[in-house]
Amino acid sequence: MESSYADSQYALEQQNDDHVDMLSEKMRTLREISVQIGDEVSYQERMLNGMEDDFSKTGDILGTAMRRLNVMARTQSGRWVCALILFVIVTIFYLVFIRRRS
């Protein structure tokens, strides 16, 4: 009787050890995944910061261009404004229709 009790205790301890090993392996896997997620978040944050800087620079360039255009529109004749509007329309047409076919 003691032998069967000891055998069942040993079997239960063996099952517990197996479960602990499985849980340890799953925790290692989860840790690796969480580290990879952290790395990806850091990479995405750097990319977004870079995009923010690029948009800021572009906004500054466009602001400068608009100020220059306003000065030019005030000081030049109407021909320059018409030529500028035509240039913008042609550029938009090129970007939208011609580049879409490529």
Side-chain angles (χ1 to χ4, degrees), residues 45-102:
E45 182 183 17
R46 284 192 306 273
M47 294 244 333
L48 287 173
N49 287 338
M51 287 177 62
E52 181 182 3
D53 293 343
D54 291 343
F55 281 121
S56 177
K57 289 175 187 176
T58 302
D60 292 343
I61 291 170
L62 287 174
T64 302
M66 286 303 294
R67 282 192 297 278
R68 288 180 181 174
L69 286 174
N70 283 333
V71 168
M72 184 178 71
R74 278 187 255 128
T75 59
Q76 299 294 326
S77 66
R79 281 187 348 184
W80 284 101
V81 174
C82 291
L84 180 63
I85 291 172
L86 180 64
F87 173 75
V88 169
I89 291 171
V90 169
T91 303
I92 291 172
F93 177 79
Y94 173 76
L95 291 174
V96 172
F97 294 110
I98 305 298
R99 299 281 279 189
R100 186 178 286 175
R101 292 183 183 174
S102 300

Side-chain angles (χ1 to χ4, degrees), residues 6-7 13 30 38 40 53 94:
D7 289 342
E13 286 183 24
L30 285 173
E40 182 66 23
D53 293 343
Y94 173 76

Side-chain angles (χ1 to χ4, degrees), residues 17-55:
D17 289 344
D18 291 343
H19 287 118
V20 167
D21 290 342
M22 285 189 328
L23 284 173
S24 295
E25 182 61 34
K26 289 182 180 186
M27 289 188 66
R28 274 192 289 278
T29 302
L30 285 173
R31 182 183 181 282
E32 290 172 8
I33 290 171
S34 65
V35 167
Q36 290 173 352
I37 289 171
D39 292 344
E40 182 66 23
V41 167
S42 296
Y43 172 73
Q44 294 291 332
E45 182 183 17
R46 284 192 306 273
M47 294 244 333
L48 287 173
N49 287 338
M51 287 177 62
E52 181 182 3
D53 293 343
D54 291 343
F55 281 121

